[in-house]
Amino acid sequence: MSDIVTYQDAATAFADFIEPTAAELDAIEREMPVILADVELLDAHIVTLDRTPSELDERRIRRARRRALAARVALVNRAAGTSMPGGAA
């Protein structure tokens, strides 16, 4: 049992450093529309794994693919509008 406690002490010794920083949380928040669109696209593909996709399934996949692409474009456009540190473009 002492091995487990020792491992736990070693694993939790840096618990403060394991938490995401505010900048990382902000980045996740900015990317959330892309993440959700990707999840929707994956859901559309998962539905068709065990059967032949119907016309409705194909439309759902195309729609989800367009939403995912639009979310990525919006993210890139937002990122292009912000300035880089140090004046880099």
Side-chain angles (χ1 to χ4, degrees):
M1 274 313 225
S2 64
D3 292 336
I4 294 173
V5 173
T6 304
Y7 175 73
Q8 181 179 0
D9 290 341
T12 58
F14 300 104
D16 294 338
F17 303 118
I18 294 174
E19 295 296 321
T21 64
E24 290 170 334
L25 291 174
D26 288 341
I28 292 169
E29 188 65 31
R30 280 190 308 272
E31 294 175 10
M32 190 55 68
V34 174
I35 294 167
L36 294 175
D38 284 344
V39 168
E40 184 179 344
L41 179 58
L42 284 172
D43 286 344
H45 280 291
I46 288 170
V47 167
T48 63
L49 285 178
D50 61 346
R51 62 184 171 149
T52 304
S54 67
E55 184 178 334
L56 183 63
D57 293 329
E58 290 173 1
R59 277 192 278 165
R60 182 176 181 216
I61 290 170
R62 280 194 310 266
R63 196 174 319 119
R65 190 176 291 136
R66 283 193 305 264
R67 286 184 186 136
L69 181 60
R72 282 187 175 84
V73 167
L75 179 66
V76 168
N77 287 340
R78 277 193 308 263
T82 62
S83 62
M84 300 293 286

